[in-house]
Amino acid sequence: MHPHSHHSPTLNTDHTLPDPYKQLKASLTRLVNEHPPASIRPSGGLYKGPVSVAYTFLILQQMYNDLEIEGQLLGTWSAAYLKQAQDTIGDYPGPKPGKCGITDDILALLAIGAATSKDVDMVSNLCDYSAEVLDMDTDNEFLYGRAGYLYLLRLVKASFIDDPKTLQLITDTQDDVVDAILDTPRPWKWHGKTYVGAIHGAIGIITQVVLTDAKKYASKVEADLAVLLTYQYETGNWPSSIPPEKDRLVQVCHGAPGVVNSLVSIKKYFPNLEEKLNRAILKGRECVKERGLLTKEPSLCHGMSFAYYVPVLRYTKLILQQASPAMLLPSRTKISNTSSPTPQATK
C-alpha cells in the first residue's frame, strides 16, 4: 500500500492484540539497552537527546511509579539521562536569539530542574533568558521560538502554585512573551514562510498563548484561529504552509495530527467557534486514521506514535494491532518496496 493511500487496510485477525503495558516495557527496555545514557550525544532539549529521554521517563514515572526497567525504577533512569545532559553541559551553545524554544538544552534542563526540585534560582535563571526570547530575531514558533519558551514556563509554573513571589515572576515573564507574540504582524512566519502546524506554525503559537492564560488571551487570538480553520482541506488535513501546496504531510509538525491535538486542548475556550471546531476535529481525526495511523511506522514527530492520541477510542484496537511488531515489519517491507519515499517535513 502506498504510504498516502486513503483506503484503510483490512485488519489482520491472525495477530493477537498486544498488551500495551508489555509493549511499553519492551520499548523502554530496548531504549536503555540500545541507547544507554552515556551513548547519547548532547543537544536537542525536549526534542531529542538525553534531556528528552529523561523527560520521557519523568512523565511515565507519574503514571507507572512501580514500573522497573532492567531492575531500575523509571525515576532512576530519568536521573541517569539527566546526569548525562548535565555532565556535558559545557558542550551546549546555550540559548540565543532564534534558538530558544524546546530544543535548547539549557532551557529544558532549567525547566525540568525547577519543576522537579522546586528550585527558585533555576526559575530565576530560566526567566532571565527571556531577553533572548524577546529579541527581534526570535520567531514565535514552538521548536525554536517563543511558543516553546511559553511551554517551558507553564511546565515550571505548576510547581510553584503555593509560592506567590515566584509565581508572579513566571507570570510577568509569560505576559512579556505573549505580548511580543501578539504584537508581531500577522501572519506569523518562520524562515519567511507562513506555517500552519503545531510545531512551526500558527496553531502551535495559538495553543501556547491560550494555555498560558485563556481568560486573558483567548479572545485576542480567536480571529487567528477562525482563519486557520478555513485552511482545512476536504480530506480533513491541513496544509503545511500558506499558500497551500500539495496535500501530503500528515504529521505532528505539519498536518492534521498536530492541529487536531491542539484544537482539542483549546476548544473549550472558544464557545463562539464550537460548531466549526467540532467539525474540523472530526474531519481531522478521520484523516489521521486513514493516512497517519495505517500507513506509517512508529515515530513521535513524523509517524504514527503521536497520531495515536488523535482518533476517538473506537479505533484503539485497530491502532494497537497496526503498531505491533508482527504487523509493522511486513508493512515496512511492503512500503519500502512498492512506494516512493515518504516526504519529510521541512525543518
Side-chain angles (χ1 to χ4, degrees):
M1 179 178 27
H2 192 280
H4 299 133
S5 170
H6 290 246
H7 299 288
S8 302
T10 303
L11 283 180
N12 188 334
T13 55
D14 294 334
H15 298 284
T16 303
L17 182 67
D19 181 331
Y21 185 81
K22 289 181 179 179
Q23 293 281 94
L24 171 65
K25 190 169 182 178
S27 295
L28 294 178
T29 300
R30 187 167 62 251
L31 171 62
V32 301
N33 283 319
E34 295 182 6
H35 306 283
S39 72
I40 300 185
R41 296 174 58 187
S43 85
L46 299 186
Y47 180 65
K48 65 175 183 176
V51 181
S52 70
V53 180
Y55 187 54
T56 299
F57 278 110
L58 181 66
I59 297 301
L60 288 173
Q61 178 196 21
Q62 299 171 21
M63 296 180 276
Y64 305 99
N65 57 16
D66 60 347
L67 174 59
E68 292 188 0
I69 301 298
E70 300 289 49
Q72 302 291 334
L73 290 169
L74 301 187
T76 304
W77 283 113
S78 178
Y81 282 96
L82 206 58
K83 184 176 185 302
Q84 166 68 3
Q86 292 166 337
D87 288 348
T88 53
I89 200 168
D91 297 333
Y92 301 160
K96 60 182 180 181
K99 290 192 175 180
C100 44
I102 64 161
T103 57
D104 184 79
D105 289 292
I106 302 295
L107 295 181
L109 280 170
L110 286 172
I112 293 174
T116 55
S117 64
K118 294 192 174 184
D119 188 313
V120 175
D121 289 336
M122 285 188 172
V123 176
S124 180
N125 289 336
L126 179 64
C127 291
D128 282 345
Y129 279 114
S130 63
E132 283 77 7
V133 177
L134 296 172
D135 189 279
M136 63 181 297
D137 289 332
T138 297
D139 291 312
N140 296 305
E141 55 91 67
F142 185 73
L143 202 62
Y144 303 105
R146 293 168 182 157
Y149 185 68
L150 286 178
Y151 174 84
L152 296 176
L153 291 174
R154 287 199 301 112
L155 171 66
V156 171
K157 194 172 188 177
S159 297
F160 291 90
I161 299 301
D162 56 351
D163 182 345
K165 183 178 178 180
T166 303
L167 201 62
Q168 190 60 54
L169 171 62
I170 298 170
T171 300
D172 289 344
T173 305
Q174 289 175 316
D175 289 344
D176 289 342
V177 175
V178 173
D179 286 345
I181 291 173
L182 297 180
D183 287 344
T184 305
R186 308 297 196 275
W188 292 302
K189 294 186 177 183
W190 183 64
H191 287 190
K193 291 186 70 173
T194 302
Y195 285 96
V196 175
I199 302 301
H200 303 304
I203 191 60
I205 299 167
I206 291 169
T207 300
Q208 294 308 317
V209 167
V210 171
L211 294 181
T212 293
D213 189 334
K215 281 188 176 181
K216 189 184 296 186
Y217 298 122
S219 62
K220 296 185 178 182
V221 293
E222 184 166 331
D224 299 291
L225 180 58
V227 171
L228 186 142
L229 294 177
T230 68
Y231 297 151
Q232 190 175 27
Y233 292 124
E234 283 300 315
T235 62
N237 199 24
W238 272 267
S240 170
S241 59
I242 299 299
E245 299 173 352
K246 186 179 178 181
D247 177 5
R248 63 191 185 103
L249 298 178
V250 185
Q251 305 168 352
V252 56
C253 43
H254 304 290
V259 176
V260 170
N261 194 63
S262 298
L263 294 179
V264 169
S265 71
I266 63 174
K267 70 174 185 174
K268 66 181 178 181
Y269 303 116
F270 298 94
N272 296 333
L273 298 174
E274 181 178 7
E275 186 177 340
K276 292 180 179 179
L277 284 167
N278 287 337
R279 282 201 307 268
I281 289 168
L282 182 61
K283 287 179 64 177
R285 280 173 166 161
E286 289 296 324
C287 171
V288 173
K289 179 180 78 91
E290 294 183 5
R291 298 168 59 193
L293 292 176
L294 304 186
T295 63
K296 294 200 172 190
E297 303 169 23
S299 168
L300 190 62
C301 187
H302 294 165
M304 69 176 289
S305 300
F306 183 88
Y308 170 83
Y309 296 99
V310 176
V312 289
L313 292 177
R314 67 177 178 271
Y315 299 138
T316 300
K317 182 175 180 179
L318 172 63
I319 294 161
L320 287 175
Q321 285 187 326
Q322 293 300 125
S324 66
M327 291 291 285
L328 275 171
L329 291 176
S331 61
R332 273 186 79 174
T333 303
K334 186 175 182 183
I335 288 173
S336 63
N337 288 342
T338 62
S339 63
S340 58
T342 301
Q344 296 298 304
T346 302
K347 288 289 185 184

